[in-house]
Every structure is written in C-alpha cells, then in structure tokens.
Amino acid sequence: MAHRTIPGTATACSLLSAATLLTALTAGPVAAHGGGDHHDEPAPRGVLVPEVSAEEVAAQFDPAEAAAIGREHAEAHARTRAAAKNTSDYPQTTRTNSLRWLTEDQRKKNAAFAPKEFGRFTEFFPSPDYGVHIAQLPTGKVLLFSFEPVEDNPNRETAPTQIIGARNAGRAFLWDPRRGTGPDAFTAAHPPVIDMPDGRGEKRRAPFFCAGHSFLPNGMLGVFGGNLGGNGGSGAKLSLLYDPWKEEWLRQDDMAVGRWYPTVVTAADGRQYIFSGQSERGWGTPTEVVERFPAQGRPVPMSTGARMIGDPVERLTVEAPFRHDYPHTFALRDGLIHALGRDSDQQWAFDPVRQTRRTLPNLPDRPQGRKQVERWYGSAVPLPNGTLGPDSVLYMGGDANDPTTYLLKDDTWTKSGSKAFGRTQDNTLILPDGSLFTVNGAPDIRDYGNGPYNPNADQKYRSTELREPGGGWRLGPVQRLPRGYHSNAVVMPDGRVMITGDELQQIANDPDITDDMHGTVEIYEPAYLHRGERPHLGRAPKRMLRYEQHFTVGSRTAGDVERAVILSPSTATHSVNTSQRHLELEIVRRGQGTLELKAPPSPEDAIPGFYMLFLLDEDGVPSTAQWVRFGPPRAG
C-alpha cells in the first residue's frame, strides 16, 4: 500500500488510540499520548496512511464532520477510515497479536537474568521515525532520520528506493530524553526541500536515507549521499550538515559523485573522509572516488557558532576500489584510516595526509556454507587501549554461519574468540566501563529466519551478548522486537543504551498502523546501573581542552572515583559506526570535591571534538556524563 500525507487533525486524533493500546502491551513505563490543541494546524505533518481511491474516501466522508472541522480535515479522516478497511493483506490484528506475544515472551525470558549481572530492558515506546540513521548529539538529544515510506505491509519493501520524483523523500526527528517518552519529546527536524537532478522537477525533502555520516569537531553531523531513485538504488551527490546547536540543516556543495551506502569517518585533522557507495548510475556501480570535507585549505569548524553553507567537498588522488559498499573505517592512533571491506581480500590502510593506500592482510574468514562472498553488514569496534587511542579493531558479525570474532592489530588478523552464534545486521557498542554490548541481528538482509520479507523471526536473534574487557562473550537478556536490517543503537550520556531501527519489524508490530508514530524505541540499562549509587560528576570545562592539558572537574564523591573515561558520541547506520572511541584519562590529583585530569596525548588518540566524560567507581558504576571537547585538529 502506498501512502500519502494527512492533515494535523487526523494525526492528533489517531495518536491516542495507538498509545492506549501500546501502553496496555508494554511491560515498561510508557507515557500516554495526548493530542493537544490541533484545530489551527491545517498543514500536513508528514503522517502517512495507505493509498486509497477517491471512491473509497467518498464512501467514508461525513458531511456533518465537515461542517464541524472543515472539508479538508474531514476528507483526511475519511481517508484514514478507508485505509483502515484496506489493511486485510496485513491486518491490524496480526500486528497487535505479534506485539502482545513479544511483550509477554520478553517478560518471561528476562526473568532469568539478574539486572546486577546482565542489565535489563526497561522502556519501550513509540517514535515518529524508523531510525534507519541515528546520532547521539552533543546537546543530549538524539537525531533519527530515514525516508517517507511507500508501504505499511512488512511483506513488501517500505523504502522509496525505486521511486523517482517527489515521493522519494527523507525525514528526520529529534528525541529529547529530558522530555520523556511521549510524542511531545519528539520534534520534527526534516532536511531541506530541494529539487533533485532526476529530470522530474519535483521538489521534496532531501532523500538522504542510506547515506554515510560522522561528526565534525564542533559537534555538527556531516551527512553525505542518499538516494536519487531507480535502478536498484542510485547514489545522490548530497552533502549536508546538521547543526545541533541551532537545530537546522545546512546544505554544502555537492560531492563529485553520487553515493548510495557510503561510509564516512573523521580523522585527526578534523576532516571527514568519504568512501564507497553505489554511484549515480545505480546498484552494482560502487565508486572508487575518495572525498574529503571540508576541502584542504578551508577551515575545519571548531566553534559551535560556525555557520557553513556551500562549502566544497574535495576529491582526493587516492582511490578506494571496494567491490561492495559500507566498509568499516576507523581512524586509529597511527594516524591512518583503516578501511575494512566486506570482502575478505579488500582490507586497506589509507594515509589521509599523503593520499596513499597500502594493502592489509586478508581477513581469515572463509567458513564453509557462506551464501555470499562478502559479509553482510556485521559490526566492528576500535577496542579501548587505556589512556591511548585505539590501535586495534574487533570485527564480528556479517555472516550467520560464522560466530568468530576477528582482531586486527599491528597489521595482523587473529581469531579472537566466538559469540554464541553468527548474525548479520548487528550493532556492537563500547560501554563506559569498557565492556562490549551486542544487540540486534538477523540471519540475512530482510530475512529473519523464515524467508525474505517474513517478519516472523528466529527468536534467538533477540538475545543480546555481553563481553567484559578482555573476557569472553555471554548471552544477555532479550530485546522486545527482533531488529535486523536498518537497526541501530547508541550509548546515551546517562549510560543507558537506546535501540531503534528496522522498519519492517516496527510496522509488523505497530499497535495502530494508521497513526503517525511509525517506529519504536527500546531502552536497555547495563548492569552497572544496578550496582548501587552512581559517582557524582559536577562541573566540567566548557572551553575546548588542548591535548595533554590538565583540567579540573567537580565531584562530591571524588574519593570513590577509580577511573575517568571519555566515550565519543556515536552515529550509526547499517551496522557501521565509525565514531566510537573509548579512552581512560589519567587522574593527576584528588582535591576536596575536585579531580584533576589529564587530556589525551594527541588528535590521533582522541579525534578532535566532543566526548562524554564519565567517572567510575571500583564496581564500574559510571556517573552521568558531562560533555567535554578536545582540540585543535592535527594540521594538514
């Protein structure tokens, strides 16, 4: 079923029914939705309902309702009622029953997991976006963005990948955790309306979904690429910045080539390096072009008040001939960008200064029975390395038949233990205490274990996995929804984990498919939040801190603090998260209610920008984070 927008009146009226049902199904605390005063909101708000004919709308039209609220709103209500009658191909009862079963099953399974040892899942609440892309912003808010869907049947493709014209559009929302979990905690943050070069001349919100992204040193999020439409996914040349301080999108000059599924990483010079992605010619044409933003000679933005519009992207002389898209890329402390392709024989180290590339050894991962040569969107993390930046990467997932994890260190691959089972589309996060947490996953793209586009999942993929620093993996509690392709997770400043994504599973378990809450968010509390009182972290410097500089933070529990760590805010999509970084800070001196800390050694150790600073006690319990930032970048 295709979708179209309906006005605000129908939107607000439909919110209450969804929230009421979802609250009844949810074990964790969920705030009720409220419609609010909406009678002076005639403009569309991006709510999408199944496509219906004019005849079907006319049959549901109520003249008395039109006299009370106006013809436009009455027609929108009629369209919603007609759409509700047209969901027999994937009925509401199926969605409702599925969510009810998953809710009860999660409650039963997780009764066996002690929160002090395994953590626990808490809130589960509606979101207005699928969360195909996610970014933990240095303001504390979380940016979610994706596309305007063209389907609400999880047995068919939801994204407008093949559509050319106005219906191929993006959308974005901000979630403010300080405002709770209700609809008022979300605000629209949609991309600019533009005219894409597709020959249609139909303006729409920039279709930046399935792009690549990373943070600039001033906290802005750079988003590169997107969908031009047609031919299996043609790459867009879009180059956008999201300013979290002014909460606005800023368009930059287009890239040299289109990119659909690219990867972006920020290096020690504070610039963003853009790799791979299907070109503007369509699927099967990944570009070899490497680009950099901002271009050499242009200033790297350090001030939160910077306003960048029309800045150029620079094409480099070195090439990255990946056969497949979304490689994992990490800027390690040697100053090089380690770019790990999904094909075993495409592993490289790039020097962003000299613009050179050298070959790394092949990934030793050729298990019997693999369906395809490349790995399908497994996760990878740069491992913590004490007070120094990361010098190794742990690569895992991407193959349902291979539970092995692989360690790249000193240009050498070694097998580094195994998980309980292999999975693709997984997300692995570094937590403040240095442990790893894997959530989400599926056997294959759009296949949850019972064939493509069948949302009935093999339930083992709902199991999380935990790894203590230097230890082995163990299974943890199960999440509410199975989430595979397009799933995401980030660590929040309060130490919790936010989980979202996978539009097919979200619409397959939607308690009201006619409302405007398209997605869901689930919150996981790691075990350290169940081990007693948290250390206190008070004031921290707001100014940019220079490398190796000593600085002071306030703490009423300074005597109980064993460790000070910084964790970078992350931004992720398609299991690719290039921004993760975890460093210990040396505690130089303890004062009365203060701690003197030492900043990291160099930009290669801690990429310039914002970090979440946590204080931890001897049990690994973290404080709530304060934001600090380090700079300047390494001169190019």
Side-chain angles (χ1 to χ4, degrees):
M1 283 170 277
H3 291 67
R4 59 178 63 170
T5 56
I6 61 175
T9 300
T11 299
C13 292
S14 63
L15 274 174
L16 188 58
S17 61
T20 302
L21 181 54
L22 186 56
T23 301
L25 294 173
T26 304
V30 177
H33 296 240
D37 182 8
H38 54 262
H39 294 292
D40 58 354
E41 291 183 27
R45 290 174 54 191
V47 184
L48 301 170
V49 299
E51 188 76 59
V52 292
S53 68
E55 293 75 14
E56 290 171 312
V57 173
Q60 296 293 325
F61 183 77
D62 183 350
E65 184 180 41
I69 65 173
R71 185 175 185 85
E72 182 183 8
H73 287 176
E75 286 180 345
H77 283 196
R79 186 175 296 112
T80 301
R81 289 190 291 269
K85 296 172 67 67
N86 281 355
T87 59
S88 58
D89 57 346
Y90 205 88
Q92 181 62 60
T93 53
T94 301
R95 307 173 205 265
T96 303
N97 289 334
S98 178
L99 180 57
R100 180 180 290 117
W101 184 89
L102 289 166
T103 301
E104 180 61 17
D105 183 69
Q106 183 189 40
R107 185 190 67 79
K108 290 179 180 178
K109 284 186 169 69
N110 286 350
F113 292 94
K116 287 184 178 181
E117 185 178 357
F118 295 96
R120 70 172 183 176
F121 284 93
T122 55
E123 292 98 336
F124 181 88
F125 53 95
S127 163
D129 194 70
Y130 298 133
V132 173
H133 302 261
I134 187 171
Q136 173 61 65
L137 303 175
T139 60
K141 297 180 181 181
V142 181
L143 178 69
L144 304 94
F145 59 101
S146 60
F147 46 77
E148 293 287 4
V150 295
E151 261 294 342
D152 65 13
N153 184 335
N155 300 140
R156 296 195 286 267
E157 180 56 54
T158 306
T161 302
Q162 291 293 85
I163 292 177
I164 302 172
R167 292 176 63 216
N168 184 342
R171 68 180 185 196
F173 293 86
L174 281 173
W175 175 45
D176 187 349
R178 292 165 295 194
R179 300 183 64 183
T181 59
D184 292 342
F186 294 90
T187 56
H190 299 312
V193 174
I194 63 176
D195 186 357
M196 293 294 292
D198 56 12
R200 294 295 183 90
E202 299 173 359
K203 293 186 177 181
R204 86 298 298 269
R205 293 171 183 157
F208 57 1
F209 55 94
C210 298
H213 30 88
S214 70
F215 287 105
L216 284 166
N218 69 344
M220 287 184 178
L221 183 73
V223 178
F224 301 90
N227 182 259
L228 187 59
N231 198 20
S234 300
K237 297 181 179 181
L238 291 170
S239 176
L240 298 165
L241 296 182
Y242 184 73
D243 183 339
W245 316 106
K246 296 185 176 66
E247 297 186 351
E248 64 178 351
W249 290 93
L250 305 170
R251 190 173 182 187
Q252 310 308 310
D253 286 356
D254 282 352
M255 295 182 290
V257 293
R259 298 182 190 265
W260 166 247
Y261 289 43
T263 296
V264 182
V265 63
T266 305
D269 61 1
R271 301 181 195 276
Q272 297 169 304
Y273 291 82
I274 310 160
F275 295 86
S276 191
Q278 309 293 337
S279 78
E280 58 269 40
R281 293 185 292 134
W283 188 260
T285 65
T287 180
E288 298 182 354
V289 173
V290 180
E291 294 183 82
R292 173 168 54 196
F293 181 86
Q296 201 71 17
R298 302 294 289 244
V300 174
M302 298 301 297
S303 167
T304 57
R307 183 171 176 81
M308 301 173 67
I309 298 177
D311 265 37
V313 184
E314 177 185 14
R315 180 171 179 165
L316 303 188
T317 55
V318 67
E319 293 186 334
F322 289 107
R323 288 190 291 271
H324 293 95
D325 46 50
Y326 274 138
H328 291 288
T329 61
F330 301 103
L332 300 188
R333 73 177 306 263
D334 60 6
L336 304 180
I337 296 173
H338 293 250
L340 313 179
R342 293 197 285 116
D343 294 86
S344 301
D345 62 344
Q346 293 203 301
Q347 316 294 314
W348 292 304
F350 289 84
D351 186 327
V353 177
R354 295 182 175 85
Q355 298 191 40
T356 58
R357 178 186 86 230
R358 65 178 171 82
T359 301
L360 297 172
N362 291 354
L363 184 69
D365 68 334
R366 292 285 181 166
Q368 296 295 318
R370 178 178 290 178
K371 292 182 180 180
Q372 64 281 324
V373 175
E374 76 275 16
R375 303 180 78 86
W376 284 118
Y377 308 117
S379 56
V381 295
L383 291 179
N385 188 31
T387 59
L388 302 177
D391 63 0
S392 64
V393 174
L394 191 66
Y395 195 126
M396 68 210 93
D399 185 347
N401 297 314
D402 183 12
T404 308
T405 65
Y406 302 89
L407 179 68
L408 175 66
K409 183 178 174 64
D410 298 329
D411 286 1
T412 302
W413 286 103
T414 57
K415 294 184 178 181
S416 181
S418 293
K419 293 190 171 184
F421 51 86
R423 62 174 103 194
T424 74
Q425 336 304 323
D426 51 307
N427 302 103
T428 299
L429 298 173
I430 311 172
L431 300 183
D433 63 355
S435 62
L436 302 183
F437 174 69
T438 294
V439 66
N440 304 322
D444 210 333
I445 294 178
R446 302 299 198 208
D447 188 341
Y448 304 94
N450 290 291
Y453 292 94
N454 182 342
N456 297 317
D458 181 336
Q459 296 303 312
K460 74 179 182 183
Y461 293 99
R462 292 167 60 207
S463 294
T464 59
E465 293 198 59
L466 310 164
R467 177 183 179 268
E468 297 300 322
W473 293 91
R474 58 196 175 112
L475 289 175
V478 302
Q479 60 195 109
R480 181 72 54 87
L481 300 188
R483 298 182 195 257
Y485 195 50
H486 290 167
S487 63
N488 280 306
V490 293
V491 178
M492 299 164 62
D494 60 10
R496 298 182 299 164
V497 175
M498 174 191 178
I499 301 154
T500 189
D502 191 335
E503 63 274 12
L504 295 190
Q505 285 295 332
Q506 290 175 104
I507 63 177
N509 294 281
D510 192 333
D512 186 350
I513 197 61
T514 64
D515 73 7
D516 66 345
M517 302 303 274
H518 305 286
T520 56
V521 171
E522 188 163 11
I523 301 297
Y524 169 75
E525 294 178 348
Y528 50 60
L529 295 181
H530 298 274
R531 295 175 180 163
E533 293 295 320
R534 308 179 70 165
H536 172 257
L537 174 57
R539 67 184 184 278
K542 300 300 181 185
R543 68 186 185 281
M544 184 179 71
L545 299 167
R546 292 185 174 270
Y547 295 100
E548 296 194 311
Q549 177 182 352
H550 291 199
F551 64 97
T552 301
V553 298
S555 174
R556 294 192 301 268
T557 60
D560 297 327
V561 173
E562 289 291 321
R563 301 163 60 194
V565 303
I566 54 171
L567 192 68
S568 57
S570 61
T571 177
T573 188
H574 292 75
S575 299
V576 174
N577 187 331
T578 70
S579 301
Q580 292 198 87
R581 217 172 191 86
H582 178 287
L583 281 85
E584 305 270 347
L585 298 185
E586 180 184 346
I587 300 176
V588 179
R589 186 180 62 85
R590 299 174 191 272
Q592 185 65 34
T594 63
L595 291 170
E596 184 179 327
L597 307 177
K598 184 179 180 180
S602 72
E604 286 78 16
D605 292 290
I607 298 301
F610 282 83
Y611 288 81
M612 296 178 283
L613 169 64
F614 294 92
L615 302 180
L616 288 78
D617 66 15
E618 63 180 357
D619 294 321
V621 178
S623 65
T624 296
Q626 292 282 359
W627 291 96
V628 293
R629 58 177 173 146
F630 301 102
R634 176 70 66 196

